[in-house]
Every structure is written in structure tokens, then in C-alpha cells.
Amino acid sequence: MPGATDTILILGGTLQAAAIAERLCNDTPARVITSLAGRTQNPLPVAGETRTGGFGGAAGLATYLRAHNVDLVIDATHPFAQTISGNAAWAAEQTGVRLMRLCRPAWEPDTQDRWLRVASLEAARDAIPSSSRTFLALGRQHIDLFACRDDVHFILRMVDAPADDLPFRSYEVIVGKPSPDVDAETDLLTGCGASHIVCRNSGGTGAFAKILAARQCGLPVIMIDRPAEAGGPSFASVSALLAAVI
Ligand code: NAP
């Protein structure tokens, strides 16, 4: 169990990281600092201390660990946040600080699923059939790459309507958040006439309803596989990780 003089750095930006911070603040006397990349303008409140912004690469993170006498780093970043996870593994090794990584299991296809598994965004872009109506279930920062596919109609769901035109020849935007309800996701996919979905294999429950909806509608999913995992002991769930810390 971490003591009052221990400092834990959580690399965050996910709901799971916030859950870990809350539990550690409630159940241990340790100093708990959550680090956010600073991508979101109004991040949800997190228990304990927070710091925001990059560290300046792996060496910068190592410097931070030494300067703040960090005893434990918990990498609870998103499975596709590859750079920060690699940096954490390197910095922990250089400084001798203990590292634990949360890595929620990837989704696995069911026999009814029609997945085409690809290794990258580029491969996903190239795999989209011509003349399809493709639901692009990706963050705004990843979609520009698809602009060259002017033979495809793209359907995008965004929390806020985009301020500027998107870079596609043909597209529509559905304003709203992903729903955890499979029927709602099924209605949405049917309503917009999607013929294909492109998404990343993030794992977890938050975005899984659209995968189940695709299964229900028999829609093909172009599924972008996870990048290679960074080093360090990894835990498949928040509870497994916390059980090893507390
Ligand atoms: P990334 O490509 O792995 O990281 C790019 C750079 O952003 C890192 O080199 C680091 O800068 C900085 N950074 C990333 N996470 C940080 C953190 N927690 N604290 C401080 N600096 C951080 O990461 P990304 O894919 O852009 O994701 C950024 C953040 O958003 C992550 O914290 C992740 O958990 C969260 N997030 C990402 C996704 C996704 O799809 N990738 C989805 C949901 C949430 P320096 O090198 O300067 O330290």
C-alpha cells in the first residue's frame, strides 16, 4: 500500500485513469498526480492533483519523474496513445521508477461479425470500397487522411458541429455522442444508410455498442488493429491494476 510520502503519477486522458485517481485518493494517503495531454478544453474533473501538457519527450518525462520523486507511474492512457506509452516505458527504465500499464483487452470478432482487420489508418482508407457510404468512427484528428477518397460518401458523428467544412467531396455530419445503447446505434446506422464502418479497436465498453449494432445490421467493419504494446507489467482492468497497487 502506498504511504503518505509516496507519489504516484497517472498518465491519463481516459475514464479509467480518472477512476484510478479517485480510488487512490480515497484509499491511500499517497500524493496522486494525473497528467493530461491537454487536448480537451474542458476535461472532466479528476481527484487529486492534475498537470497538463507534454513533458518534452521521454527524456522530459524522466526529468519530471526525478524532480517530483515519483515512486510509481501508472500508464492509463488510451490504447492508441502509443508515443506517451513508449515514453513512459523508456523513462521508467531510465529512472528505475516502477511502471504499471492499464491495457484493456481488444475487441474480438464474433462469428456473426464481418470484420476486415487492418494495421493502420492508411490501410483502412485504402480498404474502403468505392461508392460506399462509410461511417467514419474516428476522431477529428484522424480524418484528413481519408480526404483523397473522393469516390466515397463519408458519414461522421461529432459531438459539436464542425466550425469549418470537412475535407471530403461528399459527406454528412451527425451531431451527437456515441450511445452505449445498441438499439440507438442500430437506428443511427440504419437511418443514415451506412454500408461500412471504419473504427479502431479501442476495446472497452464505451464504444462497443456500435460494433454490436454493426453485427445486428450485418455491416462490414474495417477494424484498425492496436499498435504494439509498450513494455512494463500490464493489467486488463482497473480493478486488477488497483489490486496490485493497494
Ligand atoms: P500520443 O500520440 O501517445 O502522445 C503524443 C504526445 O502527447 C506525447 O509524446 C506527449 O508529449 C503528449 N501526451 C500524451 N498523453 C499525455 C499525458 N497523459 N500527459 C502528458 N502528455 C501527454 O497520445 P495521443 O494519442 O495524442 O493522446 C493524447 C491523450 O489523449 C492521451 O493522454 C490519451 O490517453 C488521450 N486519449 C487518446 C485517444 C486516442 O485515440 N489516441 C482517445 C482517448 C483519449 P511529450 O512527448 O511532450 O511528453
Side-chain angles (χ1 to χ4, degrees), residues 43-80:
L44 292 173
V46 178
E49 298 173 39
T50 52
R51 66 160 300 284
T52 304
F55 296 94
L61 178 53
T63 303
Y64 182 95
L65 298 183
R66 290 193 187 97
H68 291 80
N69 295 316
V70 173
D71 300 286
L72 169 65
V73 177
I74 298 177
D75 176 4
T77 56
H78 189 272
F80 278 82

PDB file of all heavy atoms in Angstrom, residues 43-80:
ATOM      1  N   PRO A  43     -11.698  19.359 -19.612  1.00  0.00           N
ATOM      2  CA  PRO A  43     -11.661  17.961 -19.177  1.00  0.00           C
ATOM      3  C   PRO A  43     -12.504  17.752 -17.924  1.00  0.00           C
ATOM      4  O   PRO A  43     -12.698  18.690 -17.142  1.00  0.00           O
ATOM      5  CB  PRO A  43     -10.176  17.721 -18.883  1.00  0.00           C
ATOM      6  CG  PRO A  43      -9.579  19.061 -18.678  1.00  0.00           C
ATOM      7  CD  PRO A  43     -10.400  20.040 -19.454  1.00  0.00           C
ATOM      8  N   LEU A  44     -12.995  16.540 -17.770  1.00  0.00           N
ATOM      9  CA  LEU A  44     -13.780  16.220 -16.581  1.00  0.00           C
ATOM     10  C   LEU A  44     -12.877  16.344 -15.358  1.00  0.00           C
ATOM     11  O   LEU A  44     -11.675  16.086 -15.433  1.00  0.00           O
ATOM     12  CB  LEU A  44     -14.306  14.783 -16.678  1.00  0.00           C
ATOM     13  CG  LEU A  44     -15.366  14.541 -17.756  1.00  0.00           C
ATOM     14  CD1 LEU A  44     -15.676  13.053 -17.867  1.00  0.00           C
ATOM     15  CD2 LEU A  44     -16.636  15.330 -17.447  1.00  0.00           C
ATOM     16  N   PRO A  45     -13.447  16.758 -14.213  1.00  0.00           N
ATOM     17  CA  PRO A  45     -12.612  16.878 -13.017  1.00  0.00           C
ATOM     18  C   PRO A  45     -12.031  15.520 -12.598  1.00  0.00           C
ATOM     19  O   PRO A  45     -12.669  14.482 -12.784  1.00  0.00           O
ATOM     20  CB  PRO A  45     -13.588  17.401 -11.951  1.00  0.00           C
ATOM     21  CG  PRO A  45     -14.927  17.431 -12.559  1.00  0.00           C
ATOM     22  CD  PRO A  45     -14.841  17.115 -13.998  1.00  0.00           C
ATOM     23  N   VAL A  46     -10.824  15.561 -12.076  1.00  0.00           N
ATOM     24  CA  VAL A  46     -10.129  14.333 -11.655  1.00  0.00           C
ATOM     25  C   VAL A  46      -9.715  14.516 -10.199  1.00  0.00           C
ATOM     26  O   VAL A  46      -9.264  15.600  -9.814  1.00  0.00           O
ATOM     27  CB  VAL A  46      -8.860  14.107 -12.528  1.00  0.00           C
ATOM     28  CG1 VAL A  46      -8.107  12.872 -12.067  1.00  0.00           C
ATOM     29  CG2 VAL A  46      -9.222  13.985 -13.996  1.00  0.00           C
ATOM     30  N   ALA A  47      -9.836  13.453  -9.394  1.00  0.00           N
ATOM     31  CA  ALA A  47      -9.437  13.530  -7.981  1.00  0.00           C
ATOM     32  C   ALA A  47      -7.922  13.724  -7.878  1.00  0.00           C
ATOM     33  O   ALA A  47      -7.172  13.263  -8.731  1.00  0.00           O
ATOM     34  CB  ALA A  47      -9.855  12.246  -7.279  1.00  0.00           C
ATOM     35  N   GLY A  48      -7.485  14.396  -6.838  1.00  0.00           N
ATOM     36  CA  GLY A  48      -6.053  14.618  -6.622  1.00  0.00           C
ATOM     37  C   GLY A  48      -5.550  15.786  -7.451  1.00  0.00           C
ATOM     38  O   GLY A  48      -6.325  16.628  -7.907  1.00  0.00           O
ATOM     39  N   GLU A  49      -4.237  15.805  -7.653  1.00  0.00           N
ATOM     40  CA  GLU A  49      -3.641  16.907  -8.435  1.00  0.00           C
ATOM     41  C   GLU A  49      -3.668  16.566  -9.917  1.00  0.00           C
ATOM     42  O   GLU A  49      -3.659  15.392 -10.287  1.00  0.00           O
ATOM     43  CB  GLU A  49      -2.175  17.095  -8.027  1.00  0.00           C
ATOM     44  CG  GLU A  49      -1.991  17.482  -6.577  1.00  0.00           C
ATOM     45  CD  GLU A  49      -0.511  17.492  -6.197  1.00  0.00           C
ATOM     46  OE1 GLU A  49       0.321  17.927  -7.017  1.00  0.00           O
ATOM     47  OE2 GLU A  49      -0.204  17.034  -5.089  1.00  0.00           O
ATOM     48  N   THR A  50      -3.674  17.597 -10.735  1.00  0.00           N
ATOM     49  CA  THR A  50      -3.508  17.366 -12.174  1.00  0.00           C
ATOM     50  C   THR A  50      -2.410  18.285 -12.709  1.00  0.00           C
ATOM     51  O   THR A  50      -2.161  19.358 -12.147  1.00  0.00           O
ATOM     52  CB  THR A  50      -4.795  17.643 -12.986  1.00  0.00           C
ATOM     53  OG1 THR A  50      -5.264  18.942 -12.659  1.00  0.00           O
ATOM     54  CG2 THR A  50      -5.868  16.628 -12.738  1.00  0.00           C
ATOM     55  N   ARG A  51      -1.773  17.824 -13.738  1.00  0.00           N
ATOM     56  CA  ARG A  51      -0.859  18.668 -14.501  1.00  0.00           C
ATOM     57  C   ARG A  51      -1.226  18.476 -15.971  1.00  0.00           C
ATOM     58  O   ARG A  51      -1.772  17.423 -16.340  1.00  0.00           O
ATOM     59  CB  ARG A  51       0.612  18.308 -14.249  1.00  0.00           C
ATOM     60  CG  ARG A  51       0.942  16.932 -14.772  1.00  0.00           C
ATOM     61  CD  ARG A  51       2.401  16.681 -14.990  1.00  0.00           C
ATOM     62  NE  ARG A  51       3.033  17.572 -15.927  1.00  0.00           N
ATOM     63  CZ  ARG A  51       2.904  17.506 -17.258  1.00  0.00           C
ATOM     64  NH1 ARG A  51       2.110  16.597 -17.834  1.00  0.00           N
ATOM     65  NH2 ARG A  51       3.553  18.341 -18.034  1.00  0.00           N
ATOM     66  N   THR A  52      -0.961  19.482 -16.788  1.00  0.00           N
ATOM     67  CA  THR A  52      -1.417  19.413 -18.176  1.00  0.00           C
ATOM     68  C   THR A  52      -0.295  19.763 -19.140  1.00  0.00           C
ATOM     69  O   THR A  52       0.481  20.682 -18.881  1.00  0.00           O
ATOM     70  CB  THR A  52      -2.593  20.401 -18.384  1.00  0.00           C
ATOM     71  OG1 THR A  52      -3.604  20.086 -17.441  1.00  0.00           O
ATOM     72  CG2 THR A  52      -3.177  20.280 -19.775  1.00  0.00           C
ATOM     73  N   GLY A  53      -0.239  18.993 -20.253  1.00  0.00           N
ATOM     74  CA  GLY A  53       0.719  19.291 -21.320  1.00  0.00           C
ATOM     75  C   GLY A  53       1.819  18.256 -21.382  1.00  0.00           C
ATOM     76  O   GLY A  53       2.058  17.515 -20.417  1.00  0.00           O
ATOM     77  N   GLY A  54       2.461  18.190 -22.547  1.00  0.00           N
ATOM     78  CA  GLY A  54       3.543  17.222 -22.757  1.00  0.00           C
ATOM     79  C   GLY A  54       4.717  17.470 -21.821  1.00  0.00           C
ATOM     80  O   GLY A  54       4.872  18.563 -21.256  1.00  0.00           O
ATOM     81  N   PHE A  55       5.547  16.437 -21.680  1.00  0.00           N
ATOM     82  CA  PHE A  55       6.720  16.524 -20.807  1.00  0.00           C
ATOM     83  C   PHE A  55       7.960  16.933 -21.589  1.00  0.00           C
ATOM     84  O   PHE A  55       9.009  17.186 -20.999  1.00  0.00           O
ATOM     85  CB  PHE A  55       6.985  15.162 -20.154  1.00  0.00           C
ATOM     86  CG  PHE A  55       5.884  14.703 -19.241  1.00  0.00           C
ATOM     87  CD1 PHE A  55       4.876  13.871 -19.709  1.00  0.00           C
ATOM     88  CD2 PHE A  55       5.847  15.105 -17.910  1.00  0.00           C
ATOM     89  CE1 PHE A  55       3.865  13.440 -18.870  1.00  0.00           C
ATOM     90  CE2 PHE A  55       4.833  14.674 -17.060  1.00  0.00           C
ATOM     91  CZ  PHE A  55       3.837  13.846 -17.546  1.00  0.00           C
ATOM     92  N   GLY A  56       7.840  16.930 -22.909  1.00  0.00           N
ATOM     93  CA  GLY A  56       9.015  17.180 -23.742  1.00  0.00           C
ATOM     94  C   GLY A  56       9.735  15.885 -24.068  1.00  0.00           C
ATOM     95  O   GLY A  56      10.948  15.778 -23.895  1.00  0.00           O
ATOM     96  N   GLY A  57       8.956  14.896 -24.484  1.00  0.00           N
ATOM     97  CA  GLY A  57       9.551  13.621 -24.889  1.00  0.00           C
ATOM     98  C   GLY A  57       9.877  12.726 -23.701  1.00  0.00           C
ATOM     99  O   GLY A  57       9.617  13.076 -22.545  1.00  0.00           O
ATOM    100  N   ALA A  58      10.477  11.568 -24.026  1.00  0.00           N
ATOM    101  CA  ALA A  58      10.779  10.578 -22.992  1.00  0.00           C
ATOM    102  C   ALA A  58      11.777  11.136 -21.968  1.00  0.00           C
ATOM    103  O   ALA A  58      11.636  10.913 -20.766  1.00  0.00           O
ATOM    104  CB  ALA A  58      11.327   9.319 -23.658  1.00  0.00           C
ATOM    105  N   ALA A  59      12.764  11.874 -22.462  1.00  0.00           N
ATOM    106  CA  ALA A  59      13.767  12.435 -21.540  1.00  0.00           C
ATOM    107  C   ALA A  59      13.114  13.453 -20.606  1.00  0.00           C
ATOM    108  O   ALA A  59      13.448  13.526 -19.414  1.00  0.00           O
ATOM    109  CB  ALA A  59      14.899  13.085 -22.340  1.00  0.00           C
ATOM    110  N   GLY A  60      12.176  14.218 -21.156  1.00  0.00           N
ATOM    111  CA  GLY A  60      11.456  15.199 -20.327  1.00  0.00           C
ATOM    112  C   GLY A  60      10.634  14.507 -19.242  1.00  0.00           C
ATOM    113  O   GLY A  60      10.555  14.980 -18.101  1.00  0.00           O
ATOM    114  N   LEU A  61      10.051  13.383 -19.606  1.00  0.00           N
ATOM    115  CA  LEU A  61       9.271  12.627 -18.622  1.00  0.00           C
ATOM    116  C   LEU A  61      10.190  12.068 -17.533  1.00  0.00           C
ATOM    117  O   LEU A  61       9.868  12.121 -16.339  1.00  0.00           O
ATOM    118  CB  LEU A  61       8.497  11.495 -19.317  1.00  0.00           C
ATOM    119  CG  LEU A  61       7.671  10.575 -18.434  1.00  0.00           C
ATOM    120  CD1 LEU A  61       6.704  11.356 -17.528  1.00  0.00           C
ATOM    121  CD2 LEU A  61       6.874   9.580 -19.287  1.00  0.00           C
ATOM    122  N   ALA A  62      11.366  11.576 -17.939  1.00  0.00           N
ATOM    123  CA  ALA A  62      12.326  11.068 -16.947  1.00  0.00           C
ATOM    124  C   ALA A  62      12.738  12.184 -15.994  1.00  0.00           C
ATOM    125  O   ALA A  62      12.810  11.987 -14.771  1.00  0.00           O
ATOM    126  CB  ALA A  62      13.545  10.485 -17.663  1.00  0.00           C
ATOM    127  N   THR A  63      12.952  13.369 -16.527  1.00  0.00           N
ATOM    128  CA  THR A  63      13.324  14.517 -15.685  1.00  0.00           C
ATOM    129  C   THR A  63      12.196  14.824 -14.698  1.00  0.00           C
ATOM    130  O   THR A  63      12.428  15.082 -13.516  1.00  0.00           O
ATOM    131  CB  THR A  63      13.601  15.756 -16.584  1.00  0.00           C
ATOM    132  OG1 THR A  63      14.623  15.407 -17.499  1.00  0.00           O
ATOM    133  CG2 THR A  63      14.011  16.967 -15.774  1.00  0.00           C
ATOM    134  N   TYR A  64      10.968  14.775 -15.198  1.00  0.00           N
ATOM    135  CA  TYR A  64       9.812  15.037 -14.332  1.00  0.00           C
ATOM    136  C   TYR A  64       9.743  14.004 -13.196  1.00  0.00           C
ATOM    137  O   TYR A  64       9.505  14.353 -12.035  1.00  0.00           O
ATOM    138  CB  TYR A  64       8.528  15.005 -15.167  1.00  0.00           C
ATOM    139  CG  TYR A  64       7.276  15.306 -14.358  1.00  0.00           C
ATOM    140  CD1 TYR A  64       6.743  16.594 -14.294  1.00  0.00           C
ATOM    141  CD2 TYR A  64       6.630  14.301 -13.639  1.00  0.00           C
ATOM    142  CE1 TYR A  64       5.608  16.863 -13.534  1.00  0.00           C
ATOM    143  CE2 TYR A  64       5.506  14.565 -12.885  1.00  0.00           C
ATOM    144  CZ  TYR A  64       4.993  15.840 -12.834  1.00  0.00           C
ATOM    145  OH  TYR A  64       3.878  16.106 -12.072  1.00  0.00           O
ATOM    146  N   LEU A  65       9.963  12.746 -13.535  1.00  0.00           N
ATOM    147  CA  LEU A  65       9.875  11.685 -12.515  1.00  0.00           C
ATOM    148  C   LEU A  65      10.895  11.922 -11.403  1.00  0.00           C
ATOM    149  O   LEU A  65      10.585  11.769 -10.216  1.00  0.00           O
ATOM    150  CB  LEU A  65      10.104  10.308 -13.153  1.00  0.00           C
ATOM    151  CG  LEU A  65       9.100   9.860 -14.223  1.00  0.00           C
ATOM    152  CD1 LEU A  65       9.419   8.459 -14.711  1.00  0.00           C
ATOM    153  CD2 LEU A  65       7.671   9.920 -13.695  1.00  0.00           C
ATOM    154  N   ARG A  66      12.101  12.330 -11.805  1.00  0.00           N
ATOM    155  CA  ARG A  66      13.142  12.574 -10.792  1.00  0.00           C
ATOM    156  C   ARG A  66      12.792  13.824  -9.988  1.00  0.00           C
ATOM    157  O   ARG A  66      12.874  13.818  -8.762  1.00  0.00           O
ATOM    158  CB  ARG A  66      14.503  12.777 -11.472  1.00  0.00           C
ATOM    159  CG  ARG A  66      15.065  11.500 -12.086  1.00  0.00           C
ATOM    160  CD  ARG A  66      16.539  11.687 -12.464  1.00  0.00           C
ATOM    161  NE  ARG A  66      17.017  10.529 -13.194  1.00  0.00           N
ATOM    162  CZ  ARG A  66      17.096  10.447 -14.519  1.00  0.00           C
ATOM    163  NH1 ARG A  66      16.739  11.472 -15.276  1.00  0.00           N
ATOM    164  NH2 ARG A  66      17.543   9.350 -15.095  1.00  0.00           N
ATOM    165  N   ALA A  67      12.391  14.889 -10.669  1.00  0.00           N
ATOM    166  CA  ALA A  67      12.139  16.167  -9.995  1.00  0.00           C
ATOM    167  C   ALA A  67      11.002  16.067  -8.984  1.00  0.00           C
ATOM    168  O   ALA A  67      11.003  16.763  -7.969  1.00  0.00           O
ATOM    169  CB  ALA A  67      11.830  17.245 -11.039  1.00  0.00           C
ATOM    170  N   HIS A  68      10.033  15.191  -9.276  1.00  0.00           N
ATOM    171  CA  HIS A  68       8.870  15.083  -8.379  1.00  0.00           C
ATOM    172  C   HIS A  68       8.927  13.829  -7.514  1.00  0.00           C
ATOM    173  O   HIS A  68       7.942  13.484  -6.872  1.00  0.00           O
ATOM    174  CB  HIS A  68       7.569  15.130  -9.198  1.00  0.00           C
ATOM    175  CG  HIS A  68       7.321  16.476  -9.804  1.00  0.00           C
ATOM    176  ND1 HIS A  68       7.948  16.885 -10.957  1.00  0.00           N
ATOM    177  CD2 HIS A  68       6.554  17.513  -9.392  1.00  0.00           C
ATOM    178  CE1 HIS A  68       7.558  18.124 -11.243  1.00  0.00           C
ATOM    179  NE2 HIS A  68       6.720  18.523 -10.306  1.00  0.00           N
ATOM    180  N   ASN A  69      10.087  13.201  -7.488  1.00  0.00           N
ATOM    181  CA  ASN A  69      10.262  11.991  -6.656  1.00  0.00           C
ATOM    182  C   ASN A  69       9.118  10.997  -6.839  1.00  0.00           C
ATOM    183  O   ASN A  69       8.540  10.503  -5.864  1.00  0.00           O
ATOM    184  CB  ASN A  69      10.370  12.363  -5.167  1.00  0.00           C
ATOM    185  CG  ASN A  69      11.628  13.166  -4.902  1.00  0.00           C
ATOM    186  OD1 ASN A  69      12.693  12.823  -5.418  1.00  0.00           O
ATOM    187  ND2 ASN A  69      11.493  14.246  -4.147  1.00  0.00           N
ATOM    188  N   VAL A  70       8.808  10.737  -8.086  1.00  0.00           N
ATOM    189  CA  VAL A  70       7.692   9.821  -8.375  1.00  0.00           C
ATOM    190  C   VAL A  70       8.126   8.388  -8.048  1.00  0.00           C
ATOM    191  O   VAL A  70       9.226   7.956  -8.405  1.00  0.00           O
ATOM    192  CB  VAL A  70       7.263   9.948  -9.855  1.00  0.00           C
ATOM    193  CG1 VAL A  70       6.233   8.882 -10.221  1.00  0.00           C
ATOM    194  CG2 VAL A  70       6.708  11.348 -10.127  1.00  0.00           C
ATOM    195  N   ASP A  71       7.272   7.667  -7.324  1.00  0.00           N
ATOM    196  CA  ASP A  71       7.564   6.278  -6.936  1.00  0.00           C
ATOM    197  C   ASP A  71       6.915   5.272  -7.878  1.00  0.00           C
ATOM    198  O   ASP A  71       7.380   4.145  -8.005  1.00  0.00           O
ATOM    199  CB  ASP A  71       7.042   6.026  -5.515  1.00  0.00           C
ATOM    200  CG  ASP A  71       7.704   6.950  -4.527  1.00  0.00           C
ATOM    201  OD1 ASP A  71       8.877   6.724  -4.211  1.00  0.00           O
ATOM    202  OD2 ASP A  71       7.062   7.944  -4.101  1.00  0.00           O
ATOM    203  N   LEU A  72       5.801   5.670  -8.461  1.00  0.00           N
ATOM    204  CA  LEU A  72       5.054   4.734  -9.320  1.00  0.00           C
ATOM    205  C   LEU A  72       4.411   5.513 -10.461  1.00  0.00           C
ATOM    206  O   LEU A  72       3.784   6.560 -10.224  1.00  0.00           O
ATOM    207  CB  LEU A  72       3.957   4.047  -8.482  1.00  0.00           C
ATOM    208  CG  LEU A  72       2.897   3.241  -9.245  1.00  0.00           C
ATOM    209  CD1 LEU A  72       3.520   2.039  -9.953  1.00  0.00           C
ATOM    210  CD2 LEU A  72       1.794   2.763  -8.284  1.00  0.00           C
ATOM    211  N   VAL A  73       4.585   5.006 -11.679  1.00  0.00           N
ATOM    212  CA  VAL A  73       3.873   5.572 -12.834  1.00  0.00           C
ATOM    213  C   VAL A  73       2.803   4.576 -13.254  1.00  0.00           C
ATOM    214  O   VAL A  73       3.093   3.387 -13.435  1.00  0.00           O
ATOM    215  CB  VAL A  73       4.827   5.801 -14.035  1.00  0.00           C
ATOM    216  CG1 VAL A  73       4.044   6.319 -15.246  1.00  0.00           C
ATOM    217  CG2 VAL A  73       5.925   6.770 -13.677  1.00  0.00           C
ATOM    218  N   ILE A  74       1.589   5.077 -13.392  1.00  0.00           N
ATOM    219  CA  ILE A  74       0.513   4.239 -13.917  1.00  0.00           C
ATOM    220  C   ILE A  74       0.138   4.786 -15.286  1.00  0.00           C
ATOM    221  O   ILE A  74      -0.352   5.910 -15.401  1.00  0.00           O
ATOM    222  CB  ILE A  74      -0.712   4.236 -12.976  1.00  0.00           C
ATOM    223  CG1 ILE A  74      -0.324   3.639 -11.617  1.00  0.00           C
ATOM    224  CG2 ILE A  74      -1.869   3.451 -13.613  1.00  0.00           C
ATOM    225  CD1 ILE A  74      -1.440   3.666 -10.591  1.00  0.00           C
ATOM    226  N   ASP A  75       0.418   3.997 -16.306  1.00  0.00           N
ATOM    227  CA  ASP A  75       0.078   4.416 -17.665  1.00  0.00           C
ATOM    228  C   ASP A  75      -1.350   3.952 -17.952  1.00  0.00           C
ATOM    229  O   ASP A  75      -1.571   2.776 -18.243  1.00  0.00           O
ATOM    230  CB  ASP A  75       1.081   3.807 -18.652  1.00  0.00           C
ATOM    231  CG  ASP A  75       0.728   4.121 -20.097  1.00  0.00           C
ATOM    232  OD1 ASP A  75      -0.249   4.869 -20.333  1.00  0.00           O
ATOM    233  OD2 ASP A  75       1.420   3.611 -21.000  1.00  0.00           O
ATOM    234  N   ALA A  76      -2.280   4.873 -17.840  1.00  0.00           N
ATOM    235  CA  ALA A  76      -3.693   4.538 -18.095  1.00  0.00           C
ATOM    236  C   ALA A  76      -4.181   5.318 -19.308  1.00  0.00           C
ATOM    237  O   ALA A  76      -5.344   5.699 -19.399  1.00  0.00           O
ATOM    238  CB  ALA A  76      -4.538   4.853 -16.867  1.00  0.00           C
ATOM    239  N   THR A  77      -3.280   5.553 -20.240  1.00  0.00           N
ATOM    240  CA  THR A  77      -3.652   6.284 -21.452  1.00  0.00           C
ATOM    241  C   THR A  77      -4.427   5.358 -22.398  1.00  0.00           C
ATOM    242  O   THR A  77      -4.493   4.148 -22.200  1.00  0.00           O
ATOM    243  CB  THR A  77      -2.396   6.832 -22.167  1.00  0.00           C
ATOM    244  OG1 THR A  77      -1.504   5.757 -22.432  1.00  0.00           O
ATOM    245  CG2 THR A  77      -1.707   7.885 -21.317  1.00  0.00           C
ATOM    246  N   HIS A  78      -4.974   5.964 -23.423  1.00  0.00           N
ATOM    247  CA  HIS A  78      -5.759   5.217 -24.424  1.00  0.00           C
ATOM    248  C   HIS A  78      -4.853   4.211 -25.139  1.00  0.00           C
ATOM    249  O   HIS A  78      -3.674   4.500 -25.379  1.00  0.00           O
ATOM    250  CB  HIS A  78      -6.339   6.232 -25.416  1.00  0.00           C
ATOM    251  CG  HIS A  78      -7.331   5.664 -26.357  1.00  0.00           C
ATOM    252  ND1 HIS A  78      -6.969   5.104 -27.556  1.00  0.00           N
ATOM    253  CD2 HIS A  78      -8.662   5.555 -26.265  1.00  0.00           C
ATOM    254  CE1 HIS A  78      -8.051   4.685 -28.172  1.00  0.00           C
ATOM    255  NE2 HIS A  78      -9.098   4.945 -27.407  1.00  0.00           N
ATOM    256  N   PRO A  79      -5.391   3.034 -25.515  1.00  0.00           N
ATOM    257  CA  PRO A  79      -4.543   2.024 -26.173  1.00  0.00           C
ATOM    258  C   PRO A  79      -3.869   2.512 -27.452  1.00  0.00           C
ATOM    259  O   PRO A  79      -2.853   1.959 -27.867  1.00  0.00           O
ATOM    260  CB  PRO A  79      -5.528   0.897 -26.498  1.00  0.00           C
ATOM    261  CG  PRO A  79      -6.729   1.131 -25.672  1.00  0.00           C
ATOM    262  CD  PRO A  79      -6.759   2.565 -25.281  1.00  0.00           C
ATOM    263  N   PHE A  80      -4.429   3.538 -28.096  1.00  0.00           N
ATOM    264  CA  PHE A  80      -3.803   4.046 -29.321  1.00  0.00           C
ATOM    265  C   PHE A  80      -2.848   5.215 -29.047  1.00  0.00           C
ATOM    266  O   PHE A  80      -2.284   5.759 -29.978  1.00  0.00           O
ATOM    267  CB  PHE A  80      -4.868   4.454 -30.345  1.00  0.00           C
ATOM    268  CG  PHE A  80      -5.396   3.279 -31.131  1.00  0.00           C
ATOM    269  CD1 PHE A  80      -6.385   2.470 -30.615  1.00  0.00           C
ATOM    270  CD2 PHE A  80      -4.876   2.966 -32.380  1.00  0.00           C
ATOM    271  CE1 PHE A  80      -6.868   1.377 -31.323  1.00  0.00           C
ATOM    272  CE2 PHE A  80      -5.344   1.868 -33.096  1.00  0.00           C
ATOM    273  CZ  PHE A  80      -6.337   1.074 -32.573  1.00  0.00           C
TER     274      PHE A  80
END
